[in-house]
């Protein structure tokens, strides 16, 4: 039986989900958190759906064994392919996923041009496209970004290398987009580089606040909110200690 003081587990293929952890801590500072970054197996977004599902289920099992009351899948790629299996394997844990926030972007720019930047696996799944259905006049450009996760995992998110990668990938869209959906939890960390490439006119949308709000609502309705905790523990599957340091740095940014 879950207790209020039990931690919330948050996981991603690596350090990207820290962007969601940040939003969760801001919304619910009194909760205890365990963050697990699977950097040893990153990136997930160029793997097959079966591989991603197996990896996500293995991480969820680790967190379940630590007694989490909720599991936030802070990875668009895992949410796109593994959500049903995660829910089936952990029926007693509140599970919340994250999807590219296409609905919010389309509601803000219903006749505009909206880019969706995400990993190749998330884009190929197209699971989030239902969100655009109420806005048939919005033009949605799907933009897979195969190496961007590696740039963030290497801590190079605010560098000339990031600018060069994005400049090349986004060249066909410069001056043409109204909004860009950051459809991978690693991407909020390249926001400065994205601004340098795309300029100030493009609005950015990411799903972290919506995910934090959804987690709050689910815990509230299960009477599982905690106001007396405040611990955050970060774990990583990689033996490279730099990833823990990078995670702490990103959490504080
Ligand atoms: N950060 C994850 C996402 O939101 C996955 C990145 C990856 O490992 O490809 O999609």
């Amino acid at each position: 039986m879950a207790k209020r003081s039990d931690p919330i587990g948050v996981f991603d293929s690596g350090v990207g989900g820290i962007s969601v952890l940040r939003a969760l801590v801001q919304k619910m500072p009194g909760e205890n958190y365990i963050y697990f970054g699977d950097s040893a197996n990153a990136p997930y977004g160029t793997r097959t759906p079966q591989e991603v599902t197996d990896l996500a289920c293995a991480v969820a099992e680790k967190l379940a064994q630590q007694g989490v009351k909720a599991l936030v899948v802070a990875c668009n790629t895992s949410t796109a392919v593994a959500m049903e299996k995660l829910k089936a394997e952990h029926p007693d844990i509140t599970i919340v996923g994250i999807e590219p926030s296409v609905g919010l972007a389309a509601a803000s720019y219903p006749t505009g041009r909206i880019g969706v930047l995400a990993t190749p696996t998330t884009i190929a799944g197209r699971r989030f496209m239902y969100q655009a259905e109420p806005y048939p006049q919005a033009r949605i450009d799907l933009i897979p970004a195969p190496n961007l996760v590696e740039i963030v995992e290497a801590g190079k998110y605010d560098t000339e290398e990031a600018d060069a990668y994005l400049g090349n990938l986004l060249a066909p869209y410069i001056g043409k987009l109204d909004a860009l959906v950051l459809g991978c939890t690693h991407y909020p960390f390249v926001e400065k580089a994205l601004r340098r490439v795309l300029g100030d006119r493009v609005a950015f949308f990411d799903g972290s606040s919506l995910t934090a709000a959804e987690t709050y609502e689910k815990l509230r309705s299960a009477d599982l909110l905690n106001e007396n905790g405040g611990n955050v523990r970060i774990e990583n599957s990689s033996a490279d200690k730099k990833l823990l340091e990078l995670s702490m740095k990103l959490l504080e940014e």
Side-chain angles (χ1 to χ4, degrees), residues 11-17 35 38 41-47 73-79 98 118-122 145-146 149-150 153 182-187:
F11 81 90
D12 178 38
S13 63
V15 300
Y35 180 87
D38 195 11
N41 293 306
Y44 281 9
T46 44
R47 292 177 181 274
V73 184
C75 174
N76 293 266
T77 311
S78 300
T79 302
I98 183 165
T119 68
T121 302
T122 300
V149 165
E150 285 95 323
E153 289 284 309
L182 311 184
C184 166
T185 54
H186 282 73
Y187 300 172

PDB file of all heavy atoms in Angstrom, residues 11-17 35 38 41-47 73-79 98 118-122 145-146 149-150 153 182-187, ligand 1:
ATOM      1  N   PHE A  11      12.247   8.756 -14.371  1.00  0.00           N
ATOM      2  CA  PHE A  11      13.364   8.206 -15.150  1.00  0.00           C
ATOM      3  C   PHE A  11      13.367   8.668 -16.599  1.00  0.00           C
ATOM      4  O   PHE A  11      12.369   9.075 -17.151  1.00  0.00           O
ATOM      5  CB  PHE A  11      13.427   6.677 -15.054  1.00  0.00           C
ATOM      6  CG  PHE A  11      12.474   5.944 -15.964  1.00  0.00           C
ATOM      7  CD1 PHE A  11      12.860   5.585 -17.256  1.00  0.00           C
ATOM      8  CD2 PHE A  11      11.211   5.594 -15.528  1.00  0.00           C
ATOM      9  CE1 PHE A  11      11.993   4.895 -18.097  1.00  0.00           C
ATOM     10  CE2 PHE A  11      10.340   4.905 -16.363  1.00  0.00           C
ATOM     11  CZ  PHE A  11      10.731   4.558 -17.644  1.00  0.00           C
ATOM     12  N   ASP A  12      14.561   8.561 -17.151  1.00  0.00           N
ATOM     13  CA  ASP A  12      14.787   8.919 -18.559  1.00  0.00           C
ATOM     14  C   ASP A  12      15.958   8.065 -19.047  1.00  0.00           C
ATOM     15  O   ASP A  12      16.664   7.430 -18.256  1.00  0.00           O
ATOM     16  CB  ASP A  12      15.127  10.415 -18.665  1.00  0.00           C
ATOM     17  CG  ASP A  12      15.420  10.841 -20.094  1.00  0.00           C
ATOM     18  OD1 ASP A  12      14.748  10.334 -21.021  1.00  0.00           O
ATOM     19  OD2 ASP A  12      16.324  11.663 -20.306  1.00  0.00           O
ATOM     20  N   SER A  13      16.195   8.120 -20.345  1.00  0.00           N
ATOM     21  CA  SER A  13      17.346   7.412 -20.908  1.00  0.00           C
ATOM     22  C   SER A  13      18.661   8.024 -20.425  1.00  0.00           C
ATOM     23  O   SER A  13      19.716   7.428 -20.618  1.00  0.00           O
ATOM     24  CB  SER A  13      17.305   7.505 -22.434  1.00  0.00           C
ATOM     25  OG  SER A  13      17.423   8.865 -22.807  1.00  0.00           O
ATOM     26  N   GLY A  14      18.601   9.222 -19.847  1.00  0.00           N
ATOM     27  CA  GLY A  14      19.845   9.871 -19.421  1.00  0.00           C
ATOM     28  C   GLY A  14      19.532  11.096 -18.581  1.00  0.00           C
ATOM     29  O   GLY A  14      18.645  11.046 -17.727  1.00  0.00           O
ATOM     30  N   VAL A  15      20.230  12.195 -18.869  1.00  0.00           N
ATOM     31  CA  VAL A  15      20.072  13.394 -18.034  1.00  0.00           C
ATOM     32  C   VAL A  15      18.889  14.273 -18.457  1.00  0.00           C
ATOM     33  O   VAL A  15      18.531  15.210 -17.751  1.00  0.00           O
ATOM     34  CB  VAL A  15      21.374  14.239 -18.017  1.00  0.00           C
ATOM     35  CG1 VAL A  15      22.533  13.431 -17.461  1.00  0.00           C
ATOM     36  CG2 VAL A  15      21.713  14.785 -19.407  1.00  0.00           C
ATOM     37  N   GLY A  16      18.278  13.973 -19.616  1.00  0.00           N
ATOM     38  CA  GLY A  16      17.224  14.848 -20.140  1.00  0.00           C
ATOM     39  C   GLY A  16      16.043  15.018 -19.201  1.00  0.00           C
ATOM     40  O   GLY A  16      15.510  16.112 -19.036  1.00  0.00           O
ATOM     41  N   GLY A  17      15.642  13.923 -18.551  1.00  0.00           N
ATOM     42  CA  GLY A  17      14.475  13.972 -17.671  1.00  0.00           C
ATOM     43  C   GLY A  17      14.646  14.899 -16.486  1.00  0.00           C
ATOM     44  O   GLY A  17      13.678  15.200 -15.776  1.00  0.00           O
ATOM     45  N   TYR A  35      15.614  10.038  -8.932  1.00  0.00           N
ATOM     46  CA  TYR A  35      15.754  10.188 -10.387  1.00  0.00           C
ATOM     47  C   TYR A  35      16.731   9.146 -10.902  1.00  0.00           C
ATOM     48  O   TYR A  35      17.846   9.029 -10.377  1.00  0.00           O
ATOM     49  CB  TYR A  35      16.278  11.595 -10.740  1.00  0.00           C
ATOM     50  CG  TYR A  35      16.426  11.770 -12.232  1.00  0.00           C
ATOM     51  CD1 TYR A  35      15.356  12.187 -13.002  1.00  0.00           C
ATOM     52  CD2 TYR A  35      17.630  11.451 -12.871  1.00  0.00           C
ATOM     53  CE1 TYR A  35      15.471  12.305 -14.382  1.00  0.00           C
ATOM     54  CE2 TYR A  35      17.748  11.565 -14.247  1.00  0.00           C
ATOM     55  CZ  TYR A  35      16.668  11.996 -15.000  1.00  0.00           C
ATOM     56  OH  TYR A  35      16.789  12.105 -16.360  1.00  0.00           O
ATOM     57  N   ASP A  38      19.353   6.558 -17.353  1.00  0.00           N
ATOM     58  CA  ASP A  38      19.935   5.323 -17.912  1.00  0.00           C
ATOM     59  C   ASP A  38      20.991   5.662 -18.968  1.00  0.00           C
ATOM     60  O   ASP A  38      20.954   5.155 -20.087  1.00  0.00           O
ATOM     61  CB  ASP A  38      18.807   4.476 -18.508  1.00  0.00           C
ATOM     62  CG  ASP A  38      19.244   3.043 -18.772  1.00  0.00           C
ATOM     63  OD1 ASP A  38      20.337   2.648 -18.312  1.00  0.00           O
ATOM     64  OD2 ASP A  38      18.491   2.311 -19.444  1.00  0.00           O
ATOM     65  N   ASN A  41      22.738   3.325 -21.384  1.00  0.00           N
ATOM     66  CA  ASN A  41      21.997   2.799 -22.540  1.00  0.00           C
ATOM     67  C   ASN A  41      21.460   3.887 -23.463  1.00  0.00           C
ATOM     68  O   ASN A  41      20.712   3.598 -24.404  1.00  0.00           O
ATOM     69  CB  ASN A  41      20.838   1.921 -22.061  1.00  0.00           C
ATOM     70  CG  ASN A  41      21.338   0.665 -21.389  1.00  0.00           C
ATOM     71  OD1 ASN A  41      22.136  -0.076 -21.966  1.00  0.00           O
ATOM     72  ND2 ASN A  41      20.923   0.432 -20.155  1.00  0.00           N
ATOM     73  N   ALA A  42      21.799   5.157 -23.176  1.00  0.00           N
ATOM     74  CA  ALA A  42      21.326   6.256 -24.043  1.00  0.00           C
ATOM     75  C   ALA A  42      22.121   6.226 -25.350  1.00  0.00           C
ATOM     76  O   ALA A  42      23.274   5.793 -25.346  1.00  0.00           O
ATOM     77  CB  ALA A  42      21.532   7.598 -23.339  1.00  0.00           C
ATOM     78  N   PRO A  43      21.544   6.695 -26.445  1.00  0.00           N
ATOM     79  CA  PRO A  43      20.174   7.186 -26.554  1.00  0.00           C
ATOM     80  C   PRO A  43      19.167   6.047 -26.768  1.00  0.00           C
ATOM     81  O   PRO A  43      19.516   5.008 -27.332  1.00  0.00           O
ATOM     82  CB  PRO A  43      20.235   8.080 -27.791  1.00  0.00           C
ATOM     83  CG  PRO A  43      21.302   7.473 -28.653  1.00  0.00           C
ATOM     84  CD  PRO A  43      22.309   6.873 -27.688  1.00  0.00           C
ATOM     85  N   TYR A  44      17.951   6.271 -26.285  1.00  0.00           N
ATOM     86  CA  TYR A  44      16.852   5.330 -26.558  1.00  0.00           C
ATOM     87  C   TYR A  44      16.241   5.610 -27.944  1.00  0.00           C
ATOM     88  O   TYR A  44      15.714   4.710 -28.574  1.00  0.00           O
ATOM     89  CB  TYR A  44      15.727   5.515 -25.535  1.00  0.00           C
ATOM     90  CG  TYR A  44      15.921   4.902 -24.164  1.00  0.00           C
ATOM     91  CD1 TYR A  44      17.139   4.352 -23.751  1.00  0.00           C
ATOM     92  CD2 TYR A  44      14.851   4.871 -23.262  1.00  0.00           C
ATOM     93  CE1 TYR A  44      17.273   3.802 -22.472  1.00  0.00           C
ATOM     94  CE2 TYR A  44      14.984   4.309 -21.996  1.00  0.00           C
ATOM     95  CZ  TYR A  44      16.189   3.787 -21.599  1.00  0.00           C
ATOM     96  OH  TYR A  44      16.302   3.242 -20.340  1.00  0.00           O
ATOM     97  N   GLY A  45      16.315   6.870 -28.349  1.00  0.00           N
ATOM     98  CA  GLY A  45      15.522   7.333 -29.482  1.00  0.00           C
ATOM     99  C   GLY A  45      15.934   6.836 -30.853  1.00  0.00           C
ATOM    100  O   GLY A  45      15.258   7.118 -31.841  1.00  0.00           O
ATOM    101  N   THR A  46      17.031   6.077 -30.927  1.00  0.00           N
ATOM    102  CA  THR A  46      17.388   5.476 -32.214  1.00  0.00           C
ATOM    103  C   THR A  46      17.283   3.954 -32.105  1.00  0.00           C
ATOM    104  O   THR A  46      17.704   3.226 -33.009  1.00  0.00           O
ATOM    105  CB  THR A  46      18.823   5.892 -32.625  1.00  0.00           C
ATOM    106  OG1 THR A  46      19.684   5.782 -31.484  1.00  0.00           O
ATOM    107  CG2 THR A  46      18.879   7.327 -33.103  1.00  0.00           C
ATOM    108  N   ARG A  47      16.725   3.447 -30.990  1.00  0.00           N
ATOM    109  CA  ARG A  47      16.553   1.999 -30.802  1.00  0.00           C
ATOM    110  C   ARG A  47      15.174   1.565 -31.299  1.00  0.00           C
ATOM    111  O   ARG A  47      14.299   2.400 -31.527  1.00  0.00           O
ATOM    112  CB  ARG A  47      16.654   1.647 -29.309  1.00  0.00           C
ATOM    113  CG  ARG A  47      18.049   1.854 -28.734  1.00  0.00           C
ATOM    114  CD  ARG A  47      18.021   1.540 -27.243  1.00  0.00           C
ATOM    115  NE  ARG A  47      19.305   1.736 -26.619  1.00  0.00           N
ATOM    116  CZ  ARG A  47      20.273   0.812 -26.566  1.00  0.00           C
ATOM    117  NH1 ARG A  47      20.089  -0.372 -27.109  1.00  0.00           N
ATOM    118  NH2 ARG A  47      21.407   1.076 -25.962  1.00  0.00           N
ATOM    119  N   VAL A  73       7.473   8.887 -16.199  1.00  0.00           N
ATOM    120  CA  VAL A  73       8.273   8.469 -17.346  1.00  0.00           C
ATOM    121  C   VAL A  73       8.697   9.746 -18.062  1.00  0.00           C
ATOM    122  O   VAL A  73       7.987  10.274 -18.913  1.00  0.00           O
ATOM    123  CB  VAL A  73       7.444   7.544 -18.277  1.00  0.00           C
ATOM    124  CG1 VAL A  73       8.302   7.021 -19.427  1.00  0.00           C
ATOM    125  CG2 VAL A  73       6.844   6.392 -17.490  1.00  0.00           C
ATOM    126  N   ALA A  74       9.879  10.280 -17.658  1.00  0.00           N
ATOM    127  CA  ALA A  74      10.316  11.597 -18.137  1.00  0.00           C
ATOM    128  C   ALA A  74      11.057  11.454 -19.461  1.00  0.00           C
ATOM    129  O   ALA A  74      12.121  12.047 -19.666  1.00  0.00           O
ATOM    130  CB  ALA A  74      11.191  12.267 -17.087  1.00  0.00           C
ATOM    131  N   CYS A  75      10.491  10.656 -20.338  1.00  0.00           N
ATOM    132  CA  CYS A  75      11.127  10.318 -21.607  1.00  0.00           C
ATOM    133  C   CYS A  75      10.017  10.141 -22.640  1.00  0.00           C
ATOM    134  O   CYS A  75       9.184   9.236 -22.518  1.00  0.00           O
ATOM    135  CB  CYS A  75      11.914   9.022 -21.426  1.00  0.00           C
ATOM    136  SG  CYS A  75      12.635   8.361 -22.926  1.00  0.00           S
ATOM    137  N   ASN A  76       9.999  11.024 -23.632  1.00  0.00           N
ATOM    138  CA  ASN A  76       8.961  10.940 -24.675  1.00  0.00           C
ATOM    139  C   ASN A  76       9.057   9.623 -25.433  1.00  0.00           C
ATOM    140  O   ASN A  76       8.047   9.039 -25.810  1.00  0.00           O
ATOM    141  CB  ASN A  76       9.128  12.087 -25.672  1.00  0.00           C
ATOM    142  CG  ASN A  76       8.852  13.449 -25.052  1.00  0.00           C
ATOM    143  OD1 ASN A  76       7.753  13.952 -25.132  1.00  0.00           O
ATOM    144  ND2 ASN A  76       9.857  14.040 -24.438  1.00  0.00           N
ATOM    145  N   THR A  77      10.281   9.169 -25.655  1.00  0.00           N
ATOM    146  CA  THR A  77      10.485   7.944 -26.435  1.00  0.00           C
ATOM    147  C   THR A  77       9.882   6.744 -25.700  1.00  0.00           C
ATOM    148  O   THR A  77       9.159   5.935 -26.293  1.00  0.00           O
ATOM    149  CB  THR A  77      11.995   7.713 -26.676  1.00  0.00           C
ATOM    150  OG1 THR A  77      12.575   8.933 -27.154  1.00  0.00           O
ATOM    151  CG2 THR A  77      12.235   6.624 -27.687  1.00  0.00           C
ATOM    152  N   SER A  78      10.160   6.628 -24.379  1.00  0.00           N
ATOM    153  CA  SER A  78       9.604   5.514 -23.599  1.00  0.00           C
ATOM    154  C   SER A  78       8.090   5.632 -23.504  1.00  0.00           C
ATOM    155  O   SER A  78       7.374   4.626 -23.595  1.00  0.00           O
ATOM    156  CB  SER A  78      10.186   5.504 -22.182  1.00  0.00           C
ATOM    157  OG  SER A  78      11.573   5.361 -22.222  1.00  0.00           O
ATOM    158  N   THR A  79       7.587   6.859 -23.319  1.00  0.00           N
ATOM    159  CA  THR A  79       6.136   7.044 -23.239  1.00  0.00           C
ATOM    160  C   THR A  79       5.489   6.592 -24.543  1.00  0.00           C
ATOM    161  O   THR A  79       4.444   5.934 -24.530  1.00  0.00           O
ATOM    162  CB  THR A  79       5.787   8.533 -22.966  1.00  0.00           C
ATOM    163  OG1 THR A  79       6.427   8.922 -21.752  1.00  0.00           O
ATOM    164  CG2 THR A  79       4.288   8.740 -22.836  1.00  0.00           C
ATOM    165  N   ILE A  98       5.103  11.396 -20.581  1.00  0.00           N
ATOM    166  CA  ILE A  98       5.258  12.721 -21.210  1.00  0.00           C
ATOM    167  C   ILE A  98       5.198  12.565 -22.724  1.00  0.00           C
ATOM    168  O   ILE A  98       5.765  11.634 -23.288  1.00  0.00           O
ATOM    169  CB  ILE A  98       6.583  13.406 -20.771  1.00  0.00           C
ATOM    170  CG1 ILE A  98       6.686  14.805 -21.362  1.00  0.00           C
ATOM    171  CG2 ILE A  98       7.818  12.579 -21.147  1.00  0.00           C
ATOM    172  CD1 ILE A  98       7.760  15.674 -20.711  1.00  0.00           C
ATOM    173  N   ALA A 118      11.958  15.930 -32.168  1.00  0.00           N
ATOM    174  CA  ALA A 118      11.930  14.780 -31.246  1.00  0.00           C
ATOM    175  C   ALA A 118      12.883  13.711 -31.757  1.00  0.00           C
ATOM    176  O   ALA A 118      13.473  13.846 -32.843  1.00  0.00           O
ATOM    177  CB  ALA A 118      10.510  14.227 -31.120  1.00  0.00           C
ATOM    178  N   THR A 119      13.033  12.638 -30.974  1.00  0.00           N
ATOM    179  CA  THR A 119      13.932  11.558 -31.401  1.00  0.00           C
ATOM    180  C   THR A 119      13.282  10.796 -32.563  1.00  0.00           C
ATOM    181  O   THR A 119      12.052  10.819 -32.721  1.00  0.00           O
ATOM    182  CB  THR A 119      14.211  10.574 -30.249  1.00  0.00           C
ATOM    183  OG1 THR A 119      13.013   9.858 -29.940  1.00  0.00           O
ATOM    184  CG2 THR A 119      14.729  11.280 -29.012  1.00  0.00           C
ATOM    185  N   PRO A 120      14.077  10.094 -33.373  1.00  0.00           N
ATOM    186  CA  PRO A 120      13.496   9.362 -34.506  1.00  0.00           C
ATOM    187  C   PRO A 120      12.408   8.372 -34.084  1.00  0.00           C
ATOM    188  O   PRO A 120      11.381   8.247 -34.766  1.00  0.00           O
ATOM    189  CB  PRO A 120      14.708   8.637 -35.109  1.00  0.00           C
ATOM    190  CG  PRO A 120      15.875   9.525 -34.768  1.00  0.00           C
ATOM    191  CD  PRO A 120      15.562  10.076 -33.404  1.00  0.00           C
ATOM    192  N   THR A 121      12.578   7.685 -32.931  1.00  0.00           N
ATOM    193  CA  THR A 121      11.565   6.710 -32.498  1.00  0.00           C
ATOM    194  C   THR A 121      10.263   7.400 -32.105  1.00  0.00           C
ATOM    195  O   THR A 121       9.171   6.921 -32.436  1.00  0.00           O
ATOM    196  CB  THR A 121      12.108   5.853 -31.322  1.00  0.00           C
ATOM    197  OG1 THR A 121      13.293   5.211 -31.769  1.00  0.00           O
ATOM    198  CG2 THR A 121      11.118   4.800 -30.871  1.00  0.00           C
ATOM    199  N   THR A 122      10.350   8.534 -31.409  1.00  0.00           N
ATOM    200  CA  THR A 122       9.127   9.273 -31.031  1.00  0.00           C
ATOM    201  C   THR A 122       8.404   9.766 -32.280  1.00  0.00           C
ATOM    202  O   THR A 122       7.190   9.615 -32.412  1.00  0.00           O
ATOM    203  CB  THR A 122       9.477  10.484 -30.128  1.00  0.00           C
ATOM    204  OG1 THR A 122      10.125   9.998 -28.953  1.00  0.00           O
ATOM    205  CG2 THR A 122       8.242  11.264 -29.730  1.00  0.00           C
ATOM    206  N   ALA A 145      15.616  14.385 -34.720  1.00  0.00           N
ATOM    207  CA  ALA A 145      16.958  14.938 -34.415  1.00  0.00           C
ATOM    208  C   ALA A 145      17.837  13.813 -33.855  1.00  0.00           C
ATOM    209  O   ALA A 145      17.967  13.669 -32.645  1.00  0.00           O
ATOM    210  CB  ALA A 145      16.822  16.080 -33.422  1.00  0.00           C
ATOM    211  N   PRO A 146      18.423  13.010 -34.738  1.00  0.00           N
ATOM    212  CA  PRO A 146      19.088  11.783 -34.275  1.00  0.00           C
ATOM    213  C   PRO A 146      20.275  11.932 -33.318  1.00  0.00           C
ATOM    214  O   PRO A 146      20.495  11.038 -32.536  1.00  0.00           O
ATOM    215  CB  PRO A 146      19.513  11.085 -35.575  1.00  0.00           C
ATOM    216  CG  PRO A 146      19.340  12.068 -36.657  1.00  0.00           C
ATOM    217  CD  PRO A 146      18.396  13.135 -36.192  1.00  0.00           C
ATOM    218  N   VAL A 149      20.533  14.170 -28.482  1.00  0.00           N
ATOM    219  CA  VAL A 149      20.635  13.621 -27.117  1.00  0.00           C
ATOM    220  C   VAL A 149      22.105  13.448 -26.725  1.00  0.00           C
ATOM    221  O   VAL A 149      22.517  13.813 -25.623  1.00  0.00           O
ATOM    222  CB  VAL A 149      19.867  12.280 -27.017  1.00  0.00           C
ATOM    223  CG1 VAL A 149      20.257  11.516 -25.761  1.00  0.00           C
ATOM    224  CG2 VAL A 149      18.367  12.545 -27.010  1.00  0.00           C
ATOM    225  N   GLU A 150      22.911  12.932 -27.644  1.00  0.00           N
ATOM    226  CA  GLU A 150      24.339  12.721 -27.350  1.00  0.00           C
ATOM    227  C   GLU A 150      25.037  14.044 -27.021  1.00  0.00           C
ATOM    228  O   GLU A 150      25.910  14.089 -26.160  1.00  0.00           O
ATOM    229  CB  GLU A 150      25.051  12.067 -28.544  1.00  0.00           C
ATOM    230  CG  GLU A 150      24.744  10.596 -28.709  1.00  0.00           C
ATOM    231  CD  GLU A 150      23.623  10.342 -29.694  1.00  0.00           C
ATOM    232  OE1 GLU A 150      22.658  11.135 -29.733  1.00  0.00           O
ATOM    233  OE2 GLU A 150      23.696   9.343 -30.418  1.00  0.00           O
ATOM    234  N   GLU A 153      24.055  14.803 -23.472  1.00  0.00           N
ATOM    235  CA  GLU A 153      24.690  13.849 -22.539  1.00  0.00           C
ATOM    236  C   GLU A 153      26.182  14.165 -22.369  1.00  0.00           C
ATOM    237  O   GLU A 153      26.767  13.897 -21.325  1.00  0.00           O
ATOM    238  CB  GLU A 153      24.528  12.408 -23.058  1.00  0.00           C
ATOM    239  CG  GLU A 153      23.111  11.872 -22.970  1.00  0.00           C
ATOM    240  CD  GLU A 153      22.683  11.459 -21.564  1.00  0.00           C
ATOM    241  OE1 GLU A 153      23.406  10.697 -20.913  1.00  0.00           O
ATOM    242  OE2 GLU A 153      21.610  11.906 -21.119  1.00  0.00           O
ATOM    243  N   LEU A 182       9.480  21.111 -28.200  1.00  0.00           N
ATOM    244  CA  LEU A 182      10.680  20.385 -27.778  1.00  0.00           C
ATOM    245  C   LEU A 182      10.205  19.013 -27.304  1.00  0.00           C
ATOM    246  O   LEU A 182       9.844  18.827 -26.141  1.00  0.00           O
ATOM    247  CB  LEU A 182      11.413  21.154 -26.679  1.00  0.00           C
ATOM    248  CG  LEU A 182      11.668  22.644 -26.966  1.00  0.00           C
ATOM    249  CD1 LEU A 182      12.483  23.285 -25.857  1.00  0.00           C
ATOM    250  CD2 LEU A 182      12.367  22.827 -28.306  1.00  0.00           C
ATOM    251  N   GLY A 183      10.184  18.042 -28.223  1.00  0.00           N
ATOM    252  CA  GLY A 183       9.525  16.757 -27.979  1.00  0.00           C
ATOM    253  C   GLY A 183      10.433  15.690 -27.403  1.00  0.00           C
ATOM    254  O   GLY A 183      10.191  14.499 -27.604  1.00  0.00           O
ATOM    255  N   CYS A 184      11.463  16.097 -26.718  1.00  0.00           N
ATOM    256  CA  CYS A 184      12.357  15.164 -26.029  1.00  0.00           C
ATOM    257  C   CYS A 184      12.829  15.913 -24.795  1.00  0.00           C
ATOM    258  O   CYS A 184      13.113  17.115 -24.871  1.00  0.00           O
ATOM    259  CB  CYS A 184      13.536  14.807 -26.940  1.00  0.00           C
ATOM    260  SG  CYS A 184      14.908  13.999 -26.090  1.00  0.00           S
ATOM    261  N   THR A 185      12.893  15.204 -23.677  1.00  0.00           N
ATOM    262  CA  THR A 185      13.176  15.908 -22.424  1.00  0.00           C
ATOM    263  C   THR A 185      14.609  16.432 -22.350  1.00  0.00           C
ATOM    264  O   THR A 185      14.929  17.249 -21.488  1.00  0.00           O
ATOM    265  CB  THR A 185      12.882  14.999 -21.218  1.00  0.00           C
ATOM    266  OG1 THR A 185      13.606  13.774 -21.363  1.00  0.00           O
ATOM    267  CG2 THR A 185      11.398  14.703 -21.133  1.00  0.00           C
ATOM    268  N   HIS A 186      15.475  15.993 -23.258  1.00  0.00           N
ATOM    269  CA  HIS A 186      16.827  16.557 -23.310  1.00  0.00           C
ATOM    270  C   HIS A 186      16.833  17.964 -23.922  1.00  0.00           C
ATOM    271  O   HIS A 186      17.762  18.735 -23.700  1.00  0.00           O
ATOM    272  CB  HIS A 186      17.753  15.676 -24.160  1.00  0.00           C
ATOM    273  CG  HIS A 186      18.260  14.439 -23.481  1.00  0.00           C
ATOM    274  ND1 HIS A 186      17.459  13.352 -23.245  1.00  0.00           N
ATOM    275  CD2 HIS A 186      19.491  14.118 -23.015  1.00  0.00           C
ATOM    276  CE1 HIS A 186      18.189  12.403 -22.644  1.00  0.00           C
ATOM    277  NE2 HIS A 186      19.426  12.841 -22.501  1.00  0.00           N
ATOM    278  N   TYR A 187      15.829  18.275 -24.741  1.00  0.00           N
ATOM    279  CA  TYR A 187      15.925  19.479 -25.576  1.00  0.00           C
ATOM    280  C   TYR A 187      15.766  20.820 -24.854  1.00  0.00           C
ATOM    281  O   TYR A 187      16.310  21.822 -25.331  1.00  0.00           O
ATOM    282  CB  TYR A 187      14.955  19.403 -26.766  1.00  0.00           C
ATOM    283  CG  TYR A 187      15.170  18.228 -27.703  1.00  0.00           C
ATOM    284  CD1 TYR A 187      14.260  17.944 -28.718  1.00  0.00           C
ATOM    285  CD2 TYR A 187      16.279  17.389 -27.584  1.00  0.00           C
ATOM    286  CE1 TYR A 187      14.436  16.867 -29.576  1.00  0.00           C
ATOM    287  CE2 TYR A 187      16.452  16.297 -28.434  1.00  0.00           C
ATOM    288  CZ  TYR A 187      15.527  16.044 -29.427  1.00  0.00           C
ATOM    289  OH  TYR A 187      15.694  14.975 -30.269  1.00  0.00           O
TER     290      TYR A 187
HETATM  291  N1  LIG B   1      14.994  12.114 -23.322  1.00  0.00           N
HETATM  292  C1  LIG B   1      14.289  11.103 -24.018  1.00  0.00           C
HETATM  293  C2  LIG B   1      13.047  11.611 -24.695  1.00  0.00           C
HETATM  294  O1  LIG B   1      12.400  12.422 -24.165  1.00  0.00           O
HETATM  295  C3  LIG B   1      15.002  10.154 -24.874  1.00  0.00           C
HETATM  296  C4  LIG B   1      16.225  10.501 -25.476  1.00  0.00           C
HETATM  297  C5  LIG B   1      16.957   9.362 -26.083  1.00  0.00           C
HETATM  298  O2  LIG B   1      17.597   8.639 -25.326  1.00  0.00           O
HETATM  299  O3  LIG B   1      16.922   9.224 -27.301  1.00  0.00           O
HETATM  300  O4  LIG B   1      12.675  11.205 -25.737  1.00  0.00           O
END
